[in-house]
Amino acid sequence: MASDSLARLQRIVGPLPSGFPPGPSTDVAIDFLRSPLAFIDSLTQQYGPTVGLKLGGEHVVLTGDPVISRQVLIDQATVFVKEGTAFFPGSSLAGNGLLVSDGATWQRQRQLSNPAFRSSAIKTCAKAMTDCTSALVNESWRHSGCRDVYADLNALTLKITTQALFGDDLPPAEGVKVTGAIQKAFEYFAGRAALGFIIPEWLPTPDNQQYSEAVRQLDSVVYSIIDSRRAQLAASSSQVSQQCLLDQLLLSRDDQGEGMGRRALRDELMTLLVAGQETSAILLAWACAYLAHHPEQQERAASEARQVFGDELQGTGDVSQAPYLQAVVLETLRLRPPAYIVGRCAARTVRLGAFNLPAGTTVLVSPWVLHRDRNRWQDPEAFQPERWLPLLETKSYMSELSGLGSNGAYVPFGAGPRNCIGTGFAMLEAVLVLARSLAAVRFRTVPGSSFPRADPRITLRPSEVPLLIEKV
Ligand code: HEM
């Protein structure tokens, strides 16, 4: 974050600013942290879709209003910026990467990163997606039995993301080092995530010190991969076969012909790991849970997977012929959006709908609320992949994921200039992992169990997803 902007954007504390949205008069930080989803639901039921809150002494706005959300994310994106928003816990891990940077730094990094996420580039990751899933179904899911599917999918998406970023030709020792260091850093990151708003990262608590050590180890592995890859690219002829995202980032150039520096590259790689691995595991785990609880829909998805891809799905990057699997993914993202809140900060005093917000106001847009808006969704609490099919007949899923969707209330990947750069990657990965899994197994509920509980932190993760794996 640029220091001039930090000085400019103040937290809004003290008396309630005039023209602020209505909401509870007391500080609700504890209620919010204790049970975010139930609390968000009860707030919006009581005060409407846009609520003024006091969180840890700061006045912030929470909104699930489609029109206001659009204003924040798209129409007034230059006013509602990322700088100054709620402090991002884990900043030493993600550094100044795309997710948290803003202004000229963000713009340049986004421009340099975009080519790596074009659909032609992403298709080259399809093989890693299907190969890693084949390994899961042939090893951990080889026998029928009960598994925590969320844990398995976390390991799977870590493997896929690491291969997509660094290639599948890392020497085995390096691969083990990367995965080990990432797992360790993530463990602390997740553990302290909920407390991150309260205990800053620079306080020398034992937990923070262990976390810093894990990040330091990860840094040393990642820097050594960057350096050796850069040297390899420099030594090879002009025709390099670009296979991994790191190669694409290393070769990308801005308008002045300049590439990313070593630190910026490190920050982007970490950001892609942080932003892309866990969110995808969460999406897939919820999708498996929904399919287990809806056997008819599961059979329909499995039969489409068999028809379109056969049993092996060797490296295909084309999922356009699998509308039902796409619909399962879109519907899961509607009901359980991994990013259930996204934050912005008003860079200046601004009018938002009927309200006036002082400069520095944090605004939290909630996909969780938007995706349940009774005026925009029929039977919003029901899992109905079929609702997407008429739309997918005429449009690609990617067009539905730009903007706020065709009904103006669908933002699982955000919207506007700061939308998710990994949307195409995540969608391809989700469809291919589900298709490859359903070619080999069915997900069944454990007798007597109920639908997995959400354990929302920064993301809307499940606590665990125990399911019976049944070989087909
Ligand atoms: C199901 C999976 C995913 C979900 C639900 C998701 C969701 C989101 C959302 C909502 C945002 C916008 C945040 C905001 O407006 O503040 C975002 C941004 C971002 N995502 Fe994702 N994401 C997913 C997967 C991925 C993957 C696979 C990658 C990369 C490999 C990725 C990389 C990023 C990055 C770098 C940003 C910041 C973009 C920018 O500000 O320029 N995400 N993601």
Side-chain angles (χ1 to χ4, degrees):
M1 286 183 201
S3 53
D4 57 332
S5 308
L6 264 184
R8 173 167 52 85
L9 299 174
Q10 299 297 323
R11 281 157 46 97
I12 304 303
V13 293
L16 187 68
S18 80
F20 216 69
S25 53
T26 53
D27 198 309
V28 293
I30 302 288
D31 301 303
F32 203 101
L33 282 179
R34 196 184 290 138
S35 182
L37 299 179
F39 187 62
I40 291 173
D41 285 342
S42 80
L43 276 177
T44 48
Q45 264 160 32
Q46 193 176 347
Y47 296 97
T50 302
V51 192
L53 304 176
K54 207 166 167 192
L55 281 181
E58 180 175 354
H59 295 291
V60 308
V61 173
L62 169 77
T63 188
D65 180 300
V67 176
I68 287 188
S69 301
R70 188 184 175 87
Q71 251 183 292
V72 173
L73 297 177
I74 302 182
D75 301 339
Q76 303 211 60
T78 52
V79 178
F80 291 98
V81 295
K82 284 219 168 177
E83 293 190 14
T85 40
F87 145 66
F88 183 73
S91 46
S92 61
L93 186 58
N96 207 14
L98 278 180
L99 203 55
V100 288
S101 59
D102 209 324
T105 307
W106 167 77
Q107 218 158 13
R108 178 168 190 275
Q109 289 300 104
R110 179 88 189 206
Q111 189 197 355
L112 284 168
S113 303
N114 275 336
F117 289 92
R118 283 198 197 111
S119 70
S120 54
I122 287 166
K123 279 184 183 166
T124 64
C125 304
K127 188 167 178 329
M129 294 167 182
T130 48
D131 285 356
C132 293
T133 315
S134 292
L136 172 66
V137 297
N138 293 331
E139 291 163 21
S140 305
W141 293 355
R142 186 159 36 106
H143 302 297
S144 297
C146 184
R147 303 277 312 179
D148 177 4
V149 166
Y150 178 46
D152 288 340
L153 291 168
N154 245 314
L156 173 66
T157 58
L158 178 57
K159 223 165 131 185
I160 292 175
T161 316
T162 312
Q163 277 198 22
L165 285 178
F166 303 112
D168 58 4
D169 54 352
L170 274 187
E174 292 272 271
V176 170
K177 261 203 253 171
V178 177
T179 330
I182 292 170
Q183 264 164 342
K184 212 160 166 202
F186 274 22
E187 208 177 289
Y188 292 116
F189 179 60
R192 65 184 308 291
L195 292 174
F197 295 100
I198 300 162
I199 304 175
E201 220 176 294
W202 48 262
L203 271 183
T205 62
D207 188 43
N208 273 352
Q209 281 170 338
Q210 284 172 318
Y211 173 64
S212 303
E213 176 54 23
V215 174
R216 203 189 56 70
Q217 282 179 17
L218 183 54
D219 272 357
S220 97
V221 182
V222 168
Y223 275 129
S224 96
I225 297 175
I226 292 175
D227 293 341
S228 70
R229 201 80 183 196
R230 200 194 287 277
Q232 271 172 24
L233 288 177
S236 50
S237 64
S238 54
Q239 280 306 307
V240 179
S241 67
Q242 296 171 32
Q243 282 177 339
C244 65
L245 296 179
L246 172 57
D247 289 351
Q248 310 253 6
L249 295 177
L250 276 165
L251 293 169
S252 187
R253 294 290 176 266
D254 65 13
D255 298 338
Q256 281 75 47
E258 300 289 324
M260 274 190 216
R262 196 167 175 261
R263 171 74 207 195
L265 257 170
R266 176 260 175 230
D267 284 356
E268 289 319 331
L269 290 170
M270 294 299 169
T271 295
L272 297 175
L273 277 167
V274 170
Q277 182 270 332
E278 197 209 21
T279 42
S280 292
I282 292 173
L283 159 62
L284 282 163
W286 287 123
C288 294
Y290 278 116
L291 291 176
H293 282 258
H294 296 83
E296 273 178 32
Q297 275 108 329
Q298 180 167 198
E299 276 323 305
R300 188 165 175 190
S303 122
E304 182 185 85
R306 221 180 4 255
Q307 247 174 14
V308 176
F309 301 114
D311 284 343
E312 282 304 320
L313 291 102
Q314 300 254 318
T316 178
D318 182 8
V319 297
S320 59
Q321 300 308 309
Y324 197 74
L325 284 157
Q326 294 168 22
V328 166
V329 175
L330 294 175
E331 183 67 346
T332 304
L333 285 166
R334 184 183 70 77
L335 283 166
R336 292 288 182 276
Y340 66 108
I341 288 181
V342 297
R344 295 290 187 273
C345 187
R348 60 166 170 78
T349 299
V350 62
R351 187 150 182 89
L352 185 64
F355 311 110
N356 291 319
L357 309 187
T361 305
T362 290
V363 179
L364 305 172
V365 173
S366 175
W368 172 265
V369 178
L370 283 163
H371 294 181
R372 287 171 163 66
D373 185 332
R374 297 206 161 268
N375 299 317
R376 309 269 173 153
W377 301 97
Q378 238 178 27
D379 206 358
E381 288 300 334
F383 176 74
Q384 289 173 351
E386 294 73 16
R387 72 172 83 230
W388 296 96
L389 294 178
L391 201 138
L392 291 171
E393 271 170 22
T394 55
K395 280 178 159 189
S396 83
Y397 61 82
M398 285 305 277
S399 67
E400 184 61 11
L401 292 169
S402 65
L404 273 80
S406 42
N407 71 353
Y410 189 60
V411 282
F413 294 101
R418 303 303 301 258
N419 69 349
C420 178
I421 199 170
T423 305
F425 184 100
M427 289 297 297
L428 180 65
E429 180 185 28
V431 171
L432 289 179
V433 170
L434 286 180
R436 179 67 191 92
S437 302
L438 291 172
V441 302
R442 291 290 177 279
F443 304 104
R444 304 286 181 219
T445 55
V446 178
S449 67
S450 44
F451 196 75
R453 213 171 44 79
D455 179 20
R457 300 181 190 197
I458 296 177
T459 49
L460 184 47
R461 51 165 70 178
S463 47
E464 53 174 11
V465 178
L467 295 177
L468 290 174
I469 302 292
E470 187 182 284
K471 294 296 291 180
V472 292

